[in-house]
Amino acid sequence: QVQLVESGGGLVQPGGSLRLSCAAYGITLDYYSIGWFRQAPGKEREGVGCISSIYGTTHYADSVKGRFTISRDNAKNTVYLQMNRLKPDDTAVYYCAADSSVCILSHHYYSHWGQGTQITVSS
């Protein structure tokens, strides 16, 4: 059984911060590239960022660059998405996903997916 579990979502005011966690079960994350994706109602799923399995190199969508940071803790088998200076347009369900290759911001590329966690940015 392979399972990715996102947590840390919730309601936050514009300009605030949240940290999402993606805990892995059944796989070891240091062998996988991890992507973060989001989907707002009525919109296509879009890539937020990813982190590579070997070097930890990160890539981010232009819409979140400079505000979001992805990191990993191999000892905890967990990947994090630190979200700062949040905007209402960041409101979406956020998913983490895993694949065994270099990170790419395309949801078609990933094999394993979490269930998602809701982020709502509102005053």
Side-chain angles (χ1 to χ4, degrees), residues 45-62:
R45 185 174 299 183
E46 63 176 346
V48 174
C50 58
I51 184 167
S52 66
S53 61
I54 300 175
Y55 301 106
T57 304
T58 54
H59 301 278
Y60 301 96
D62 289 341

Side-chain angles (χ1 to χ4, degrees), residues 2 6 11 16 18 28 34 42 47 51 53 59-60 64 79 96 102-103 112-113:
V2 176
E6 301 97 335
L11 176 65
L18 286 173
T28 301
I34 305 298
I51 184 167
S53 61
H59 301 278
Y60 301 96
V64 306
V79 172
C96 65
V102 177
C103 67
H112 308 291
W113 289 83

Side-chain angles (χ1 to χ4, degrees), residues 77-92:
N77 214 34
T78 299
V79 172
Y80 303 98
L81 176 64
Q82 179 67 46
M83 310 166 67
N84 299 323
R85 304 196 308 277
L86 284 161
K87 304 175 181 179
D89 286 346
D90 295 321
T91 296

Side-chain angles (χ1 to χ4, degrees), residues 76-122:
K76 297 181 178 180
N77 214 34
T78 299
V79 172
Y80 303 98
L81 176 64
Q82 179 67 46
M83 310 166 67
N84 299 323
R85 304 196 308 277
L86 284 161
K87 304 175 181 179
D89 286 346
D90 295 321
T91 296
V93 176
Y94 284 70
Y95 302 87
C96 65
D99 196 86
S100 59
S101 299
V102 177
C103 67
I104 296 176
L105 293 179
S106 173
H107 65 89
H108 301 288
Y109 186 75
Y110 292 85
S111 301
H112 308 291
W113 289 83
Q115 84 289 348
T117 186
Q118 177 72 48
I119 300 296
T120 301
V121 184
S122 176

Side-chain angles (χ1 to χ4, degrees), residues 30-78:
D30 55 343
Y31 295 109
Y32 287 81
S33 296
I34 305 298
W36 285 95
F37 298 84
R38 66 186 182 185
Q39 188 164 20
K43 296 184 178 180
E44 299 289 334
R45 185 174 299 183
E46 63 176 346
V48 174
C50 58
I51 184 167
S52 66
S53 61
I54 300 175
Y55 301 106
T57 304
T58 54
H59 301 278
Y60 301 96
D62 289 341
S63 59
V64 306
K65 193 173 298 182
R67 299 189 297 120
F68 292 8
T69 303
I70 300 172
S71 61
R72 70 197 308 158
D73 187 336
N74 290 337
K76 297 181 178 180
N77 214 34
T78 299

